[in-house]
Amino acid sequence: MKTLVLVVAVSAVLAAYYAYNVSEDQMLESGFQTFINTYEKSYGSVEEYNFRFEAYKSNLNKIAEENRKNPQAHFAINQFGDFTDADMKKLLGYRGGKTNQPTKFTPTDVTPADWSHLWKNTVKNQGICGSCWTFSATAVFEARHAIKNGYTTEIKTFYSEQELIDCIKTKDSQGCNGGIATDAYEFLNHHQFCSQELYPYQGIDGTCQLDKCAAGPNDDGRTDLPSGDVNAVLTELTNGPVAVAVDATRWAFYTSGIVTDCDNELNHGVTLTKTDGSNFVQIRNSWGPAWGESGNIRLGINNVCGFADSATVPKF
């Protein structure tokens, strides 16, 4: 009799266990189906579907971990919900690496600054191309060129990231395989910058077409800011946006708030546009307006993600 009772009890426990797990799997797959419909995803085979479903489940765990580590920010499923780490790495094209510089920061010496209005809240999308460095360099060039010419409320001419992708081939800069903003400003010291209209973005490595850009502007070189010196970078921000590099390894699912926990391997070129002077800086990304806070992310002001470790601006 005792054996029968034990068997019944174990069977009940196993039934409850399997029911729970079936329910959990069903909930995960239901969430994945919602993700597919929301972002209009399609997969060419059952194998691809299963592969992306596993990536989706893994990303849910990463999101939970980021929300735990960053209590002032929020992370959630977005357009990158079925991406693997290898997929995300394709978007991280800064090739400068780690700087290992100590952070210098005196909070009382920071003046608030905000240039985010210059683009009228439009954020570009680099696509699946490691061209972030060209978007960072271009955004700062077009903003500072506008400011120099008296346009402090909006940018009048947008310039061509594709020109930089196609025409700059150096040790550190190789188009969609990554690069650095300093190479862009060296190039633009000797070549005209073509407008986006005349040399539109393709998101692939193409053939250099400098003949399109004979009438564009140049810069007069660049100024590199002291590595790790937050005050120097934010002082320069009062003159206009700054091209910076960050560690964006864990940014994929950011949706809002202030990120305070980050790694320190510089791998992504972005644009510093704003600081409140006490708590955060705002970064303009190049993953489109649907990502983050209308295409932007806020970081803790004390050099979170290394935003002050590799900063540069063009001279005019």
Side-chain angles (χ1 to χ4, degrees), residues 30-245:
S30 176
F32 187 50
Q33 288 297 328
T34 299
F35 162 78
I36 289 172
N37 294 333
T38 300
Y39 296 101
E40 299 180 342
K41 300 278 185 170
S42 62
Y43 307 117
S45 66
V46 172
E47 290 76 16
E48 177 70 5
Y49 176 93
N50 290 336
F51 178 78
R52 293 300 169 182
F53 184 34
E54 290 302 314
Y56 171 85
K57 290 190 288 186
S58 175
N59 289 333
L60 291 177
N61 292 328
K62 293 174 185 175
I63 288 167
E65 181 69 5
E66 290 304 327
N67 283 319
R68 184 187 67 79
K69 290 181 175 180
N70 287 280
Q72 297 182 53
H74 182 64
F75 293 75
I77 283 291
N78 58 16
Q79 66 266 40
F80 300 130
D82 62 349
F83 273 36
T84 64
D85 290 344
D87 293 327
M88 285 305 303
K89 192 173 182 180
K90 294 176 183 177
L91 307 185
L92 307 179
Y94 177 79
R95 299 178 69 166
K98 188 184 294 185
T99 63
N100 291 316
Q101 294 296 319
T103 295
K104 300 177 183 178
F105 178 47
T106 306
T108 55
D109 293 341
V110 178
T111 301
D114 184 3
W115 299 100
S116 58
H117 60 275
L118 288 173
W119 293 271
K120 296 298 181 185
N121 297 319
T122 59
V123 173
K124 298 177 182 179
N125 193 336
Q126 69 189 74
I128 308 300
C129 168
S131 55
C132 57
W133 62 283
T134 69
F135 283 82
S136 170
T138 300
V140 174
F141 183 103
E142 61 198 10
R144 286 185 172 246
H145 188 260
I147 293 166
K148 170 183 175 287
N149 287 286
Y151 299 110
T152 58
T153 58
E154 66 177 309
I155 292 167
K156 294 297 183 181
T157 303
F158 295 96
Y159 292 98
S160 173
E161 293 87 3
Q162 192 65 43
E163 178 186 351
L164 305 182
I165 291 172
D166 292 347
C167 300
I168 300 176
K169 303 299 176 185
T170 68
K171 174 177 68 71
D172 292 315
S173 298
Q174 293 288 326
C176 282
N177 290 316
I180 52 177
T182 51
D183 278 350
Y185 297 142
E186 287 302 305
F187 172 83
L188 293 170
N189 186 223
H190 304 286
H191 302 87
Q192 279 72 35
F193 208 175
C194 197
S195 71
Q196 178 181 273
E197 182 180 8
L198 292 177
Y199 204 147
Y201 188 68
Q202 303 297 322
I204 58 174
D205 292 305
T207 302
C208 183
Q209 303 176 62
L210 284 179
D211 57 314
K212 292 186 175 183
C213 310
N218 297 95
D219 63 41
D220 293 327
R222 70 177 200 269
T223 299
D224 297 334
L225 303 175
S227 183
D229 191 334
V230 174
N231 292 88
V233 172
L234 297 185
T235 296
E236 184 57 45
L237 181 62
T238 62
N239 300 319
V242 180
V244 300

Side-chain angles (χ1 to χ4, degrees), residues 229-274:
D229 191 334
V230 174
N231 292 88
V233 172
L234 297 185
T235 296
E236 184 57 45
L237 181 62
T238 62
N239 300 319
V242 180
V244 300
V246 294
D247 188 321
T249 305
R250 293 159 45 196
W251 283 17
F253 304 108
Y254 169 83
T255 60
S256 63
I258 301 173
V259 171
T260 54
D261 186 89
C262 210
D263 297 331
N264 62 351
E265 185 73 33
L266 302 182
N267 56 21
H268 191 46
V270 290
T271 306
L272 175 63
T273 62
K274 177 180 179 179

